[in-house]
């Protein structure tokens, strides 16, 4: 019989958390959130530490489900919805008992309910949350008759509805940013983008392709009869208890329409500036930059580099009762209380530039323009910043310094660029080393040379060796690397004198700017990421 003790007591006895931290977490956690999840969210413990405490204190073994031989017939004892909701996975029958992998083996209610429902004794083992999710996704999908349509069920909507719900639910649980539904000649591949990397998770019967695509297009108010032209749409819905905003993109291919679903989880919307991985020096400079009464602050980087998160965190920091903040966005990704947000609608002529001109008649203090895409928008943003407004926007460039010639190439007069820009942040996202399997190592000769060439003192480096918490990837989550260029009077004079970008870069370096590579190397030394990740985002190595 398992001894029924409280998790807080176990963690306290193991010396991982103090009574004060437990009480504070209990006060701040969401109503339906478990203590273990709240402690993990706050970074007070790692999943590996939690598993080790439960394993040692309760005497319940830990299993890795990676390549674990799960018996198909036991899936019938635990409904898929119950498994997903409670992070449990039936494994096999062992000595007359149902071996059950659980994220929380102290959830005695589930154990009791399953014993009553199945008539078997339940023997719990501990498994990592992501391990369980991947196993549910892999085995229940394989077993599910919903994945194919019987000939007489071709018009039955229920399997398609359940399939789409399953795809969305899995994506939310795995914290995927996108779902790719890729039609092939004889099958449909479903891939999830997790931590910036695409991973194939499911293969769907070709029979399901057209009903699934039609279902998505109906929900997104798209034309289901139009299959030859690309279409874009939006779905607002709930997946489980999570409100989500889905952006739908349809693209005709030779084997049918490819669908990409961008997921905006509205539960994980707003970050604070302190959570954006700015170095201490850059955070201080950035806070000073955005508290100026006027000027243009630009965030640059490719699609998916976290620019929007930084923008929202910035305007949220400035959001006060005595300040009028107006944004013009395409699309409005997250709705912020106390901020006036305008959705671009080019079909009726409401472009960024047109919206921005109207905003200026609304007595704003701070303006956010979702993206500078053309000369008209750039000129409107610059003129707004020159007339006493603080303006935020984004641009696609490789580095902070490259932003200046990019604006000039768009047809903006150099003197206007010089007068308006206060600062530029270039940003990229890299994968974060898994905290549960982080391992120290010494740098190689080549790595030492890279450190030396960039003026960063080398130290011990780290990597993730792969574990059940990160599904053997060695990485879990992402963080930002940034470079911040404050456009001071010297840089403005250099621009007016037509100095080259190389000269401006050399001056910025002399002033102590941390370029992307240097910020990345510093984060490597602190055990946050790896050289492999930094080499993929920096052009200066």
């Amino acid at each position: 019989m398992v001894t029924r003790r409280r998790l807080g007591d176990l963690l306290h006895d193991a010396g991982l958390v103090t009574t004060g931290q437990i009480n504070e977490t209990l006060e701040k956690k969401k109503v339906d959130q478990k203590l273990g999840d709240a402690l993990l969210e706050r970074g007070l413990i790692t999943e590996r530490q939690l598993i080790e405490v439960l394993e040692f204190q309760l005497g319940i073994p830990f299993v890795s489900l990676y390549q674990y031989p799960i018996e198909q017939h036991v899936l019938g004892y635990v409904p898929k919805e119950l498994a997903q909701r409670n992070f449990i996975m039936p494994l096999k029958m062992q000595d007359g008992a149902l071996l059950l992998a659980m994220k929380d083996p102290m959830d005695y209610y589930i154990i009791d309910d399953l014993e009553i429902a199945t008539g078997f004794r339940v023997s719990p083992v501990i498994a990592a949350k992501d391990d369980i999710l991947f196993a549910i996704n892999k085995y229940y999908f394989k077993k599910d008759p919903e994945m194919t349509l019987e000939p007489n069920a071709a018009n039955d909507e229920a399997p398609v509805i359940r399939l789409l719900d399953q795809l969305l639910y899995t994506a939310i649980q795995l914290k995927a940013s996108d779902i790719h539904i890729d039609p092939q000649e004889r099958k449909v591949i479903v891939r999830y983008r997790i931590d910036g990397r695409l991973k194939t998770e499911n293969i769907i019967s070709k029979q399901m392709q057209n009903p699934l695509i039609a279902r998505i297009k109906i929900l997104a108010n798209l034309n289901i009869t139009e299959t030859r032209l690309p279409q874009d749409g939006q779905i607002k819905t709930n997946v489980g208890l999570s409100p989500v905003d889905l952006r739908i993109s349809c693209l005709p291919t030779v084997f049918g329409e490819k669908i990409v679903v961008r997921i905006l989880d509205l539960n994980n919307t707003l970050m604070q500036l302190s959570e954006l991985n700015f170095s201490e020096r850059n955070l201080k400079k950035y806070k000073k930059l955005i508290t100026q009464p006027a000027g243009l602050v630009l965030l640059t980087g490719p699609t998916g580099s976290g620019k929007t998160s930084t923008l929202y965190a910035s305007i949220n920091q400035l959001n006060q009762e005595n300040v009028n903040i107006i944004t013009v966005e395409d699309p409005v990704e997250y709705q912020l209380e106390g901020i006036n947000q305008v959705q671009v609608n080019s079909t009726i002529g409401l472009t960024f530039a047109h919206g921005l001109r109207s905003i200026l008649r609304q007595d704003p203090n701070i303006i956010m323009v979702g993206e500078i895409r053309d000369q008209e928008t750039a000129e409107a943003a610059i003129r707004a910043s020159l007339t006493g407004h603080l303006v935020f926007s984004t641009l696609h460039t490789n580095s902070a310094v490259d932003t200046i010639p990019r604006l000039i190439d768009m047809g903006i007069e150099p003197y206007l660029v010089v007068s308006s820009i206060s600062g530029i942040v270039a940003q990229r996202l890299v994968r974060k080393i898994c905290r549960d399997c982080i391992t120290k190592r010494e740098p190689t000769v080549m790595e030492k040379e890279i450190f030396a060439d960039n003026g960063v003192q080398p130290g011990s480096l780290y990597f993730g060796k792969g574990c059940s918490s990160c599904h053997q990837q060695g990485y879990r989550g992402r963080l930002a690397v940034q470079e911040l260029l404050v456009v001071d009077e010297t840089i403005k004079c250099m621009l007016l004198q037509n100095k080259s970008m190389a000269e401006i870069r050399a001056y910025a370096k002399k002033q102590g700017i941390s370029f992307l590579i240097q910020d990345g190397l510093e984060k490597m030394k602190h055990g946050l990421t790896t050289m492999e990740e930094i080499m993929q985002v920096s052009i200066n190595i």
Side-chain angles (χ1 to χ4, degrees), residues 203-214:
I203 295 174
I204 298 174
S205 161
K206 190 72 175 174
Q207 291 173 290
M208 294 296 285
Q209 178 179 317
N210 289 338
L212 178 61
I213 290 170

Side-chain angles (χ1 to χ4, degrees), residues 215-335:
R215 173 72 183 163
I216 292 170
K217 290 170 81 171
I218 287 168
L219 291 174
N221 291 319
L222 299 178
N223 182 354
I224 61 169
T225 62
E226 178 56 80
T227 59
R228 299 165 301 166
L229 292 173
Q231 295 187 74
D232 294 308
Q234 180 180 2
I235 304 171
K236 281 185 181 290
T237 185
N238 285 328
V239 178
L241 297 174
S242 301
V244 292
D245 196 349
L246 308 174
R247 303 299 155 91
I248 311 299
S249 173
C250 305
L251 183 71
T253 72
V254 290
F255 297 122
E257 288 178 279
K258 172 183 166 68
I259 305 281
V260 175
V261 181
R262 166 62 59 91
I263 302 166
L264 302 174
D265 186 350
L266 302 180
N267 273 339
N268 303 318
T269 52
L270 210 51
M271 299 175 78
Q272 303 299 319
L273 280 180
S274 57
E275 299 174 298
L276 294 177
N277 312 117
F278 277 106
S279 67
E280 196 175 324
R281 186 164 178 260
N282 277 350
L283 182 60
K284 189 176 177 182
K285 284 162 67 177
Y286 187 68
K287 281 184 173 178
K288 184 179 178 184
L289 195 65
I290 66 172
T291 50
Q292 294 177 1
L296 177 61
V297 177
L298 290 173
L299 282 96
T300 74
T303 303
S305 60
K307 300 188 299 294
T308 304
S309 294
T310 304
L311 274 180
Y312 278 120
S314 302
I315 61 172
N316 189 53
Q317 173 97 1
L318 303 169
N319 187 12
Q320 296 173 4
E321 186 186 354
N322 61 345
V323 175
N324 181 19
I325 302 176
I326 307 181
T327 75
V328 53
E329 306 169 59
D330 184 23
V332 173
E333 294 201 6
Y334 299 121
Q335 293 174 9

Side-chain angles (χ1 to χ4, degrees), residues 399-457:
S399 69
V401 174
D402 289 340
T403 305
I404 297 165
R406 174 82 179 93
L407 285 170
I408 294 170
D409 287 346
M410 288 174 97
I412 309 299
E413 292 292 338
Y415 76 90
L416 286 176
V417 176
V418 170
S419 307
S420 61
I421 295 184
S422 303
I424 305 162
V425 177
Q427 181 169 306
R428 303 287 188 280
L429 291 180
V430 295
R431 288 186 294 174
K432 199 173 182 179
I433 297 173
C434 173
R435 289 176 62 199
D436 286 326
C437 61
I438 186 169
T439 308
K440 186 186 281 193
R441 68 173 178 85
E442 290 306 306
T444 64
V445 173
M446 186 189 81
E447 286 168 339
K448 285 179 179 175
E449 287 175 2
I450 291 172
F451 273 93
D453 290 346
N454 287 281
V456 180
Q457 197 67 30

